[in-house]
Amino acid sequence: MNIWAYILKRIVLMVPTLLGVIAITFAVIQFVPGGPVEQMMQELKGRAGVHESAGGASQYRARQGLDAERVKEIQVLYGFDKPPMERFILMLKGFATFDLGRSFYHHADVWELVKSKMPVSLTIGLWTFFLTYLISVPLGIAKAVREGSRFDVLSSMAVLVGYSIPGFVLGVFLLVLFGGGSFLQWFPLRGLTSDNWEMLSPAGKVLDYLWHITLPITASVAGSFATMTILTKNTFLEEIRKQYVLTARAKGLSENKVLYKHVFRNALIPLVTGFPAAFIGAFFAGSLLIETLFSLDGLGLLSYESVIRRDYPVVMGTLYLFTLIGLVVKLLGDLCYVWADPRLQFESLAK
């Protein structure tokens, strides 16, 4: 099986997976109480009660509820006048052309909402992903080479302490200590840029951006180091103890050549396979608390608010995008696996 046949097969298998996730979520939504129709009815009742609270007859009417015609209008407005299966098929047709629908709450196109929130989530996710690998992999290699030394013990303690502190708690601590809480005011409390960002020079914009993301990225990255560092260390230790390393040393090769020419390539394989999970985890997991704490209006906050407000087009649209991204990244991870170890064949991955 060549690479293009493997990619085509994986893309074909993505379709039922994507349909299954969407179908299950859509079915669950049908049984969740307090949908958009009910919320709009309650809002209209509240407005009527407040606006006409002085009149006894009007107050009695508000308590009795809305008339059937008004309820029918609300159902037509949100598309709930159609049977569930018809709504599901219409939604799938829209997803096929990346028409994610229109938000009930924001009264805007879902795709436009996602694009407007994407820079915040990209900032948190990409910085977390790259910093985790750029720091954890060299640190793990250094710990493997110096196993049992004071450096190995102290760095393990530091990494585990950072892992044990939740990112949200660390974020609160950083805000209190450096964000103008009870001590120092070195960093801003909220946002990705200052109010006068457009007026700054190009260098000033870069510095302002880095100044704003320092605290949220620190809170997001701190807990991600432990797993990757320990994985790197254990993988390198396993390779260092194999027979081919002893043979390379016996031939007189320098330690750096043995480590980076022979060990590194083989030890890279488990790290490459962890790329998709690490990327998706950094991009989506935990972003809600960080975004809320630092007042960053990103995808995590949008998804949470859409669930609370029963904004179903946003819920289904973001779920579709997140699932699709996850499947594509998983495919890229498998391709990187074969690139890192040419001994593997696509037939073995396809099983």
Side-chain angles (χ1 to χ4, degrees), residues 64-210:
Q64 289 297 309
L66 302 175
D67 55 81
E69 289 296 327
R70 181 61 65 86
V71 174
K72 184 68 175 178
E73 291 176 4
I74 297 174
Q75 289 177 339
V76 172
L77 176 65
Y78 290 131
F80 283 89
D81 58 319
K82 301 179 180 67
M85 183 56 65
E86 183 179 349
R87 287 189 280 118
F88 181 70
I89 293 175
L90 289 175
M91 182 183 65
L92 290 182
K93 289 181 179 178
F95 285 174
T97 58
F98 278 87
D99 180 8
L100 306 182
R102 191 170 180 83
S103 169
F104 295 155
Y105 180 79
H106 297 277
H107 305 291
D109 186 76
V110 175
W111 179 240
E112 295 299 324
L113 277 175
V114 170
K115 288 195 295 184
S116 66
K117 312 294 184 183
M118 188 68 75
V120 173
S121 297
L122 279 175
T123 292
I124 297 176
L126 292 178
W127 277 108
T128 301
F129 176 75
F130 286 118
L131 286 178
T132 298
Y133 271 86
L134 287 175
I135 297 176
S136 296
V137 172
L139 179 59
I141 296 174
K143 287 172 62 63
V145 174
R146 299 172 177 82
E147 183 192 16
S149 66
R150 180 178 297 179
F151 169 80
D152 182 30
V153 174
L154 293 178
S155 59
S156 295
M157 292 176 59
V159 167
L160 292 177
V161 168
Y163 179 74
S164 64
I165 301 176
F168 184 78
V169 175
L170 179 60
V172 173
F173 173 77
L174 292 174
L175 282 177
V176 172
L177 188 59
F178 299 113
S182 303
F183 298 93
L184 305 171
Q185 192 171 1
W186 289 354
F187 298 96
L189 290 173
R190 60 182 61 86
L192 287 179
T193 56
S194 301
D195 295 335
N196 64 335
W197 191 78
E198 295 293 340
M199 303 172 60
L200 299 175
S201 64
K205 289 181 179 180
V206 172
L207 292 176
D208 182 75
Y209 169 74
L210 295 176

Side-chain angles (χ1 to χ4, degrees), residues 311-325:
D311 197 349
Y312 294 149
V314 178
V315 173
M316 298 303 300
T318 53
L319 175 70
Y320 169 73
L321 289 177
F322 293 171
T323 306
L324 183 61
I325 291 173

Side-chain angles (χ1 to χ4, degrees), residues 294-305:
F294 292 95
S295 300
L296 303 175
D297 192 10
L299 288 176
L301 192 58
L302 174 67
S303 301
Y304 172 75
E305 291 178 346

Side-chain angles (χ1 to χ4, degrees), residues 267-331:
L268 184 68
I269 297 174
L271 303 181
V272 169
T273 58
F275 272 12
F279 178 81
I280 296 299
F283 194 68
F284 301 119
S287 61
L288 171 61
L289 294 177
I290 299 299
E291 289 175 10
T292 303
L293 179 63
F294 292 95
S295 300
L296 303 175
D297 192 10
L299 288 176
L301 192 58
L302 174 67
S303 301
Y304 172 75
E305 291 178 346
S306 64
V307 172
I308 297 299
R309 293 166 176 162
R310 304 296 192 270
D311 197 349
Y312 294 149
V314 178
V315 173
M316 298 303 300
T318 53
L319 175 70
Y320 169 73
L321 289 177
F322 293 171
T323 306
L324 183 61
I325 291 173
L327 292 173
V328 171
V329 172
K330 182 65 172 67
L331 172 60

